[in-house]
Amino acid sequence: MKTALITGITGQDGSFLAEFLLEKGYDVHGTIRRSSVDYRERIAHLEGKPHFHLHYADLGDSMSIIQVIGKVKPNEIYNLAAQSHVQVSFDSPEFTADVDATGVLRILEAVRQCSLADTCRIYQASTSELYGKVEEVPQSEKTPFHPYSPYAVAKLYGFWIVKEYREAYNMFCCSGILFNHESERRGETFVTRKITLAAARIKQGKQDKLYLGNLSSLRDWGYAKDYVECMWLILQNKTPEDFVIATGEQHSVREFCYYAFKHVGIELEFKGEDADEKGYDKATGKVLIEVSKDFYRPTDVVNLWGDPSKAKKELGWDPTKKTSFEQLVKLMVEADMKKVAAESAAEYVKTNLAEYLEKGIVK
Ligand code: NAP
Ligand code: GDD
């Protein structure tokens, strides 16, 4: 039985990867952080399973990393932990650098110090944000990097330090340059999830309007569940190499809104330009989407489009056989429609609980 250690197991990708590796028969270990609120929602269904284990560790704390790697002695490490929000990285640049840049170094050094450099394979969660102010469209493994946020600059260090340890110490460590991937488990402040939640809330009368930033930004959006398979494939490859993982299709934030609202039965019509652009309900003329400059970034990456040919050729991973853009939007909207309905039902019961208890409807 192989042993895997996943940092960032409580995140979107960590939770899907843990499920994937458990299904493959791995003994799965994950790192978590102490928090005053419950943040284990995405992995709650895995807790208590025989081959699922959690350990406290923080990427800012070398000692905790050395301790967990020395104890678990993993065959594979998936370093997914990061301050992963690009806009937040402008507000917390130092923390982002510590976790997303130096944190990667801490993992690599811990593996060496635990004498696991020859046996442990390491996957680093790299990102299409490295292309930033893009110098070529679409972007492949050969496209020059031009990071355009504190997050991307930190991740660029992570990319290069992984390459350095591969070349200097002959370690099997690789970066997956993953383009945006989303799901029903996506954090609620990333644009896709913000849109699908708002579409569900607006449809169910729980929200009036959605405020967004740059509607013209272009992304190559895939489904997170399809992408975790690639992380594993990259570590099963004969040689340690870096791969672009993407769908090869590009859509705008505006288009994402259009399809998300379409799935709840609202046809949107956009009028106006830049900060004055608005999204109207075509049937009623009501404004449902407005632009707020609060969501503009000091430097914004606006043209991400990946070329996944290498992954297709060498790993046999074909995005055309995976979840399509429309399927992705639909599955996210459907999950949020259910979530909002469940929240409304719970709210209703809570408001009327005293009366129900009194009348004996609930005990
Ligand atoms: P996510 O949902 O934000 O999850 C991030 C994970 O990192 C969480 O488990 C979080 O733990 C953990 N973490 C944050 N700071 C930490 C620290 N100091 N020490 C230990 N753990 C820490 O992100 P995701 O979407 O799953 O992405 C996974 C990785 O892929 C990230 O490295 C991200 O930068 C990268 N990536 C993501 C995408 C994408 O489109 N999703 C694309 C390219 C690359 P808490 O739950 O305790 O906060
Ligand atoms: N978050 C957010 N909120 N973004 C908005 C909004 C809004 O209200 N309005 C427009 N956008 C635009 C952003 O300006 C950006 O151009 C685009 O939508 C996508 O933003 P996010 O969903 O926040 O994702 P991201 O592309 O910045 O970063 C994600 O993908 C990277 C891979 O390219 C994260 O998952 C990163 O961790 C990951 O590396």
Side-chain angles (χ1 to χ4, degrees), residues 84-86 127-129 151 178 180 186 189-191 194 211-214 217 219 253 295 297 300-301 304:
S84 72
H85 204 284
V86 174
T127 167
S128 48
E129 287 290 309
Y151 167 82
L178 269 55
N180 296 51
R186 185 58 142 155
T189 59
F190 294 97
V191 78
K194 192 172 159 184
Y211 292 93
L212 291 171
N214 186 357
S217 190
R219 285 291 181 279
V253 171
F295 301 108
R297 297 174 182 182
D300 196 14
V301 172
L304 291 181

Side-chain angles (χ1 to χ4, degrees), residues 7 11 124 144 258 279 311:
T7 69
Q124 165 58 15
Y258 180 83

Side-chain angles (χ1 to χ4, degrees), residues 86-87 127-134 139 148-149 151 178-182 186 190-192 214-222 227 246-256 297 299-306 325 328:
V86 174
Q87 189 156 12
T127 167
S128 48
E129 287 290 309
L130 300 187
Y131 301 117
K133 193 175 179 190
V134 300
Q139 297 97 35
Y148 213 35
S149 66
Y151 167 82
L178 269 55
F179 282 63
N180 296 51
H181 44 281
E182 317 294 314
R186 185 58 142 155
F190 294 97
V191 78
T192 55
N214 186 357
L215 296 174
S216 300
S217 190
L218 295 160
R219 285 291 181 279
D220 179 326
W221 279 298
Y227 282 36
T247 68
E249 251 189 58
Q250 198 186 41
H251 300 273
S252 67
V253 171
R254 187 183 298 102
E255 236 178 308
F256 196 102
R297 297 174 182 182
T299 46
D300 196 14
V301 172
V302 295
N303 196 2
L304 291 181
W305 183 7
F325 173 73
L328 171 67

Side-chain angles (χ1 to χ4, degrees), residues 10-13 33 58-59 80 82 84 151 155 178 181 186:
T10 55
Q12 171 189 258
D13 292 5
R33 299 188 291 168
D58 193 299
L59 245 59
L80 310 186
S84 72
Y151 167 82
K155 282 282 186 177
L178 269 55
H181 44 281
R186 185 58 142 155

